[in-house]
Amino acid sequence: MAMGLKAKIYMAILCSTLLTSCQDKRYFTVSKVKDAAKLATSETIIDKIVIGNEEKKILRIITIGRARFVCYTQAVVKAGIDLKKIEENDISIKGKQISLHLPSVEVINFSYPFDKFKVDRVLQDDDLFAKIDVKDMEELFRQSEIDIRNLLPYTGIIEATEQKTTQMLEMLLRTLGYKEIYITYRKGPLMPKINPKEIQ
Amino acid sequence: MMGKLFSFSFLLQALAVVIAVLAFSYFDPFDLLISNKLTLRDTPAQVQQIKSIGELISAEYYGEVISSYSHTVKANKDTAIAQMKRDVMVVHKQFYRGLLNIINADLSDKSDIKKRIQSLQDSLEHYSYANAYLDVFESNIGRGKMAQQIKNFSDDSKQTNFFQYLAINKVSITYYNEVFSKELESINKIFNSSKIKNSQLILVGRGKVQAGFKFDSLTTRNVKVDTARNRIVLVGLKPQILSCDINPWFIPELGLKGFEIIEFNKNADNIDILKQVKLNCLDSLRNSAIRSEILIKAKINAEQNLKNLFSLLLNNKDIEVKILADTSVLMSVKP
């Protein structure tokens, strides 16, 4: 017997619901303390002004309202090396001479602290039809964080951190009795590259 | 009859169309009628400075917390009450001490008495709740009498007993209690206002706490290498929380948000309220990490991880690493 129209519609709705629910990514955070061995040797302070605009339109043509949000923000990035990634064959010792081939510099901590965000209330502008609410503000901060993260490899952090790590380790290795010290670094990404379109 | 039926069915159809149009414009599923476009302007990010630090992160805590404006208001209220309680007690003690100081003055030395009276008045100036305390004091002994009695006391030594009487009988803990309950009432009034009660913002925060050791001030003096006993001792290092962050993103690569607004109403649609709730989330995260013994684990992990590192650097698998907070050990540890 042929399937009725109603049954077909119900089936279509059910299938689409199941398909969309499969695409819904769900993660959960496990609250626990993890072992780490990260040596942070540089701290970079980055300033960014977040300017957000919202436009409300009817029929996508007629603008009925505009809102503006301006906030001064600051990110603090600590970079260094992961000591756990040092392996036996990365170290060569010949008497009082030591050569280290260290893991690549990476971001040890990225902090975008909200308590340092300063909203410019003079430039902030809401009107009757358009308003940037707290959810919109969060969205703007997220977009801004992605911008800062993606900019990091071009800020000179890697070179500065390599230099500062070398200085620190040289002091330590001299205390351990080494006279000739050679330190090199592997090349690798500072942090994962993020494509804003993929996470929207 | 047919005409009537026709008009009735026409009306029904027209009504259905109107309802459909209204429903479509209300839900606007394709954002055709009203569209919102939120855009972030492309502004440059500027490196302000890159400075040297020395930190060993040996333990990381990842956690998820939930907080709301109600939680924040309750926490702020509790803090305000505790602070007020302490401040009123300080004023109470200061006042009592000041009176005893006056009583112990040499009655023949009028200038000394004046100085002591002035000192009592000056000492109260810097304290919060001093006026509230003096109000309660004066309402008990009679308004305006305090100034009058002080004047009399400095003019006439017969008034000595007045201060003795006050110190022994009147300036009692009941004054403190009276000021406390009066101030408690005003704090309750502030925090129970309808505006605060009708504001709600619920936030989930996911973040990271890092703990370990700061090496900024570490010198060769703090590193003791005891080759005879295969031991390295790092002296004067204490495990501490090095960072506690909840960012807009928790794991951006996975699209996992740091702060996620679950619910908010019009009264709470305000960045100041958002900041307060975020601060509360951050406090909860830090407390969760401390409850999970992050500092103890940071020390244990650091000793183990540094042992591994030094074993490689010294080509000696039997090396042991100890981290000691107490600098007095510097003298006892053999170089």
Side-chain angles (χ1 to χ4, degrees), chain B residues 102 107 113 149-156 159-160 163:
Chain B
I102 297 169
L107 287 175
I113 295 167
Q149 293 293 0
I150 285 176
K151 194 171 173 293
N152 290 345
F153 182 75
S154 57
D155 290 344
D156 185 355
Q159 297 296 328
T160 320
F163 283 98

Side-chain angles (χ1 to χ4, degrees), chain A residues 34 38 40 43 45 47-49 51 53 56-59 110-112 117 121 138 145 178, chain B residues 32-33 35-36 39 41 43 46 48-49 51 55 57 60 245 247 249 269 272 275 278 305 313:
Chain A
K34 274 177 64 184
K38 293 170 182 173
E43 186 179 87
I45 296 168
D47 293 333
K48 184 171 170 72
I49 303 173
I51 305 176
N53 293 93
K56 203 156 246 185
K57 288 182 174 180
I58 292 182
L59 295 168
F110 181 93
S111 173
Y112 198 28
F117 292 0
R121 292 180 202 268
E138 275 306 299
E145 185 181 331
Y178 290 104
Chain B
L32 279 173
L33 294 175
S35 65
N36 260 339
T39 44
R41 285 266 188 98
T43 54
Q46 289 177 327
Q48 199 196 78
Q49 66 168 142
K51 62 174 184 180
E55 287 178 5
I57 291 110
E60 288 178 330
D245 296 296
N247 292 328
W249 285 110
D269 186 9
D272 298 321
K275 265 191 183 181
K278 282 183 171 184
N305 291 324
L313 294 177

Side-chain angles (χ1 to χ4, degrees), chain A residues 172-191:
Chain A
L172 179 74
L173 292 166
R174 283 192 204 288
T175 313
L176 296 177
Y178 290 104
K179 302 271 184 236
E180 260 184 81
I181 301 156
Y182 302 99
I183 298 173
T184 54
Y185 293 85
R186 289 202 282 268
K187 296 290 162 213
L190 192 64
M191 66 192 314

Side-chain angles (χ1 to χ4, degrees), chain B residues 284-302:
Chain B
S284 304
L285 184 73
R286 185 181 282 108
N287 291 336
S288 303
I290 291 169
R291 273 198 305 275
S292 302
E293 301 182 328
I294 191 169
L295 293 175
I296 297 169
K297 285 169 187 166
K299 184 174 182 282
I300 298 166
N301 293 344

Side-chain angles (χ1 to χ4, degrees), chain B residues 80 111 140 151 193-194 196 229 278 291:
Chain B
S111 67
N140 275 275
K151 194 171 173 293
S193 72
S194 60
I196 288 181
R229 279 188 276 178
K278 282 183 171 184
R291 273 198 305 275

